[in-house]
Amino acid sequence: MAYCTIHKHAVASNYDQMILLCKKNGAQLNVVSKFCLSNPDIISFLHDRPDTPCTVISDSNMENFSRLDETLSLHLTKCLIKTRVSDIQRLPSLKKAFRPNRLFVSDMDMLLSVAALPEDDRPEIVLIAETGDLKDGFPLNDILMVCEKMPILNVIGVSVNFSCLSGILPDVDTVRKLADIASCIQKKRNLARPFLSVGGTVVQQLARDGKLNGLVQEIRSGEGIFFGYDSSGGMKIPGFCTKTISLDGEIVEVAEKDFALRQGHQSGFTATGGIADSRFETGIRKRAVLDFGVLAAFQKDLVPVDEKVALVGQTFDFTVVDVTDSCQQYAAGKTIRFYTNYASASFAMMNRFVPCYVE
């Protein structure tokens, strides 16, 4: 059976590096754990870090918080960063230990839904700012007005997510504007401190340069911690580990394939709507068929650990690799390992036929 492995020591190294960047900027780290469905084993492992325990996590799906151990969940600030009106309406029916403590909100109807809840059921509210990504968020000029309209809600500050839909990169001027808004909210609500939460991993460069110091109170990161990569810049983060999460596919078949068998046949599109790989189209090649396909991970997002293995095609259920040039003795029942990126790991984590282990 195909399975994922989260290599916790590599993840811990990235986590520690991100903690140092946050401390350099006087900010707290919010671990974005949505890709792994807030896997309880990895959250527990990060929470148990002796000197720098993980205390704040973020997910896009509220149900994932219920996977956590109840005692652990009570020690975490759980943020819902993709809030739906339907989520808000279901809050009273959830056990309190597993409810999100903080909602990231971008629409007035969501705020009205929170206001309709019993007072004891209302979480903290962070207002999302629109700064050019053109996804979710209130216009900057509207945030204070929105805050004033909802005095009964526990609005604690503002947030922004850079380089998401439109690839807009963070800049200090935008962060300063948001910091000013956060300070105004603090004064109007008589809060102990302003609160500006910035994400995602793309802000690590500003953090590395110390340019967020005194402006932000929270840095959200998922890709940097779990993959050591910044997709917005298309690069590995210096000093971070990238070999953090792997996907092993079980070999269903290993056999020599004669490409002469294809002669005389017309070729159409593949089962997934693409065009067959034209490499290795002559002679006899040894191929291994693996037990996962595009429903678990796309081959473009996978890197074989064995550099002599070449990915050549996928269906919905199978992945085929060329192992002709490999010195490894592959056979049915054995596995072939790949390192994953954010996209491939997310697909695999959501597939119930691909178990995930932490080691």
Side-chain angles (χ1 to χ4, degrees):
M1 175 182 288
Y3 63 91
C4 269
T5 303
I6 298 177
H7 303 281
K8 63 183 182 182
H9 295 297
V11 171
S13 175
N14 291 346
Y15 173 81
D16 290 342
Q17 291 286 337
M18 197 63 74
I19 285 285
L20 290 176
L21 285 180
C22 288
K23 286 184 175 180
K24 181 178 181 178
N25 290 269
Q28 185 176 31
L29 177 61
N30 183 331
V31 176
V32 181
S33 52
K34 61 183 180 180
F35 93 95
C36 66
L37 315 182
S38 294
N39 182 288
D41 292 329
I42 193 64
I43 299 301
S44 178
F45 168 70
L46 292 177
H47 179 72
D48 291 341
R49 302 291 291 162
D51 299 319
T52 55
C54 168
T55 58
V56 186
I57 64 172
S58 286
D59 205 305
S60 294
N61 293 289
M62 191 165 61
E63 290 78 4
N64 289 334
F65 296 138
S66 64
R67 304 176 67 205
L68 300 168
D69 174 80
E70 185 170 344
T71 301
L72 171 61
S73 184
L74 289 169
H75 283 88
L76 295 170
T77 297
K78 300 174 291 298
C79 305
L80 188 61
I81 53 176
K82 184 179 74 176
T83 305
R84 312 165 179 87
V85 170
S86 57
D87 292 326
I88 297 167
Q89 293 170 340
R90 287 191 295 119
L91 281 174
S93 66
L94 297 178
K95 192 170 184 177
K96 284 197 173 184
F98 301 116
R99 295 181 194 175
N101 310 88
R102 186 177 296 162
L103 304 181
F104 284 58
V105 174
S106 63
D107 187 272
M108 183 59 75
D109 284 335
M110 291 186 195
L111 295 176
L112 294 173
S113 295
V114 177
L117 295 174
E119 185 175 357
D120 290 345
D121 293 333
R122 297 174 194 158
E124 294 178 342
I125 301 293
V126 178
L127 301 176
I128 303 171
E130 170 63 82
T131 61
D133 192 53
L134 307 184
K135 185 167 67 72
D136 56 339
F138 292 104
L140 292 185
N141 293 335
D142 292 351
I143 290 178
L144 293 178
M145 176 190 66
V146 168
C147 187
E148 290 174 359
K149 282 185 175 181
M150 307 302 295
I152 68 171
L153 299 185
N154 187 16
V155 177
I156 65 166
V158 65
S159 81
V160 64
N161 194 37
F162 291 106
S163 192
C164 191
L165 179 67
S166 303
I168 300 297
L169 296 174
D171 63 86
V172 176
D173 286 343
T174 300
V175 174
R176 288 188 187 281
K177 291 177 183 177
L178 291 165
D180 288 342
I181 293 173
S183 293
C184 288
I185 292 175
Q186 177 199 11
K187 292 173 184 176
K188 289 179 180 293
R189 294 302 181 102
N190 195 28
L191 302 174
R193 62 165 187 163
F195 183 80
L196 171 57
S197 175
V198 298
T201 293
V202 63
V203 301
Q204 58 84 24
Q205 187 57 58
L206 289 181
R208 192 176 297 277
D209 296 336
K211 293 182 178 180
L212 301 179
N213 193 17
L215 299 176
V216 308
Q217 287 70 47
E218 179 179 270
I219 295 174
R220 305 190 309 277
S221 178
E223 186 178 36
I225 295 169
F226 293 107
F227 300 93
Y229 196 78
D230 174 10
S231 59
S232 64
M235 64 179 184
K236 176 184 180 295
I237 302 174
F240 281 56
C241 299
T242 55
K243 296 179 178 179
T244 50
I245 299 177
S246 59
L247 173 64
D248 285 64
E250 182 178 336
I251 299 172
V252 176
E253 170 198 304
V254 175
E256 291 185 334
K257 304 291 183 176
D258 188 349
F259 277 82
L261 294 174
R262 292 175 60 170
Q263 295 176 4
H265 294 278
Q266 290 184 325
S267 294
F269 293 112
T270 66
T272 57
I275 299 173
D277 193 323
S278 61
R279 294 176 299 166
F280 319 122
E281 281 201 341
T282 58
I284 296 174
R285 305 289 297 186
K286 183 181 288 187
R287 287 186 161 186
V289 181
L290 308 179
D291 70 330
F292 71 90
V294 298
L295 296 179
F298 284 99
Q299 69 176 52
K300 67 181 179 64
D301 300 319
L302 300 173
V303 177
V305 173
D306 182 348
E307 295 179 356
K308 296 299 183 179
V309 168
L311 286 144
V312 295
Q314 288 183 299
T315 67
F316 290 102
D317 298 315
F318 298 101
T319 296
V320 178
V321 295
D322 189 294
V323 297
T324 308
D325 300 325
S326 176
C327 296
Q328 301 296 320
Q329 298 300 309
Y330 293 116
K334 292 187 176 182
T335 62
I336 294 180
R337 172 165 287 188
F338 306 87
Y339 286 117
T340 67
N341 65 7
Y342 197 108
S344 58
S346 297
F347 271 97
M349 296 286 179
M350 289 187 287
N351 191 313
R352 66 188 182 94
F353 298 106
V354 182
C356 179
Y357 305 104
V358 178
E359 64 177 36

